[in-house]
Amino acid sequence: PPHAPAHGYRHKHQGAILAYDAELKAYYVESTAGDYYCKGKYYRRYGSHWLVSEHPEGPWNLTMTSTVPKKLRKGIREPVDQGPTAN
């Protein structure tokens, strides 16, 4: 967002500590590798799929890749295996 001018800007949201990645134009969740916050939703890769949630602790649901913000889906190449957490 415009108020986050530099990589590493930190913000607390819904109990999660988020740090801004200017290249991805998204926040990453510091305590959970592979979780990101962008445009009001949390995202994570699971295998070749994307999961989305309104809250950092879930519930997580499968989403179409086309609904994931473009910078995020192109910038995240390697999925983090968080286990089968989709609902």
Side-chain angles (χ1 to χ4, degrees), residues 20-77:
Y20 191 70
D21 182 323
E23 187 175 324
L24 293 176
K25 296 185 180 178
Y27 287 91
Y28 59 90
V29 180
E30 287 191 340
S31 63
T32 311
D35 285 5
Y36 297 86
Y37 180 76
C38 186
K39 298 185 179 184
K41 296 185 181 187
Y42 290 88
Y43 295 92
R44 77 169 48 150
R45 284 279 308 270
Y46 179 63
S48 61
H49 304 286
W50 282 92
L51 303 176
V52 65
S53 177
E54 299 286 330
H55 195 274
E57 295 180 14
W60 292 90
N61 297 295
L62 284 171
T63 190
M64 294 174 39
T65 301
S66 62
T67 66
V68 177
K70 187 175 182 178
K71 280 274 192 181
L72 188 58
R73 73 175 181 251
K74 289 190 177 270
I76 307 305
R77 306 226 184 269

